[in-house]
Amino acid sequence: MADTPDLEEEEEVGPERRCVVTGQVRPKSELLRFAVAPDGTLFPDPGHELPGRGIWLSASRDVVNTAVAKRSFARAARRPVVVSEDLADRMEALLARRCLDILGLARRAGQAVCGFEKVSAEIKSRRAALVLGARDAARDGRAKVQAMAPGVPVIELFDGAELGAVFGRDAAVHVCVLPGRLAQRLKDGAALLAGFRG
């Protein structure tokens, strides 16, 4: 009997695309998508939602800036494309907003808490899927939480004010997200954002 491909393994990887700058082939979820409007204007598409054929790039500020400088978008689209010089900044802002929106959904669903005591309690009960620490907070405080959560992914890409706004506070230093689909979406989104803020 002939070997059959492992369909379950193929589904885990998902569709792949090629970065027009580096030439690397990666799963779509690990790449940035851009779309060209009918008038030739290029738009960042972090949610992979805009119509039309996408142009894909590795998730890195340097790669986006290289694509702008070398006119890679026009070559990939095979037509003139209007590209803003601040494209990398725009993509960073959209990725950050997307992550914070997911965190807001997790908070409203009761799957995210903030504050040292609450985060510590979730870590000790082994319910933490993901920990976020404010990147502008004191290093020793962030290190203390990290030490309590070995093996738990820690994201330090957001300022305390950004995290605090999600929870209706001026600032938040420690945030914990519980297991579930939202935690995975946040982790995936943060992996893309790390190419801009890491």
Side-chain angles (χ1 to χ4, degrees):
M1 184 175 186
D3 290 337
T4 56
D6 187 347
L7 296 178
E8 190 173 311
E9 185 176 311
E10 188 174 316
E11 286 177 22
E12 285 178 16
V13 172
E16 295 181 331
R17 296 291 182 268
R18 182 181 306 276
C19 170
V20 300
V21 171
T22 67
Q24 290 182 325
V25 175
R26 302 185 65 86
K28 282 171 44 173
S29 62
E30 296 177 13
L31 296 170
L32 303 174
R33 184 180 190 269
F34 298 83
V36 181
D39 69 356
T41 304
L42 184 79
F43 288 96
D45 182 23
H48 304 178
E49 299 158 345
L50 296 176
R53 184 170 168 261
I55 298 172
W56 300 85
L57 291 181
S58 298
S60 161
R61 177 178 293 279
D62 291 342
V63 171
V64 174
N65 288 334
T66 298
V68 172
K70 293 190 173 182
R71 302 173 197 239
S72 302
F73 294 107
R75 277 199 309 279
R78 297 189 178 112
R79 61 179 279 199
V81 176
V82 179
V83 182
S84 65
E85 292 296 319
D86 67 343
L87 186 62
D89 291 336
R90 289 176 55 210
M91 180 57 92
E92 176 187 347
L94 289 169
L95 290 170
R97 181 75 261 148
R98 189 171 176 79
C99 287
L100 293 169
D101 287 347
I102 293 167
L103 182 58
L105 289 173
R107 180 194 62 80
R108 290 190 292 280
Q111 297 175 10
V113 297
C114 75
F116 182 80
E117 296 303 325
K118 289 181 182 178
V119 169
S120 298
E122 295 297 352
I123 291 171
K124 288 174 184 171
S125 68
R126 300 187 185 277
R127 287 174 29 94
L130 192 57
V131 172
L132 291 89
R135 64 181 179 167
D136 57 347
R139 180 72 195 142
D140 59 339
R142 289 182 289 147
K144 190 174 181 182
V145 170
Q146 288 177 16
M148 287 191 296
V152 177
V154 178
I155 297 170
E156 295 183 335
L157 298 174
F158 303 99
D159 296 336
E162 290 177 303
L163 294 174
V166 173
F167 292 88
R169 299 179 173 196
D170 290 337
V173 175
H174 308 291
V175 174
C176 173
V177 182
L178 305 183
R181 204 178 62 163
L182 292 172
Q184 187 59 52
R185 285 178 59 199
L186 181 54
K187 185 178 173 186
D188 293 343
L192 297 175
L193 182 59
F196 294 81
R197 291 188 173 184

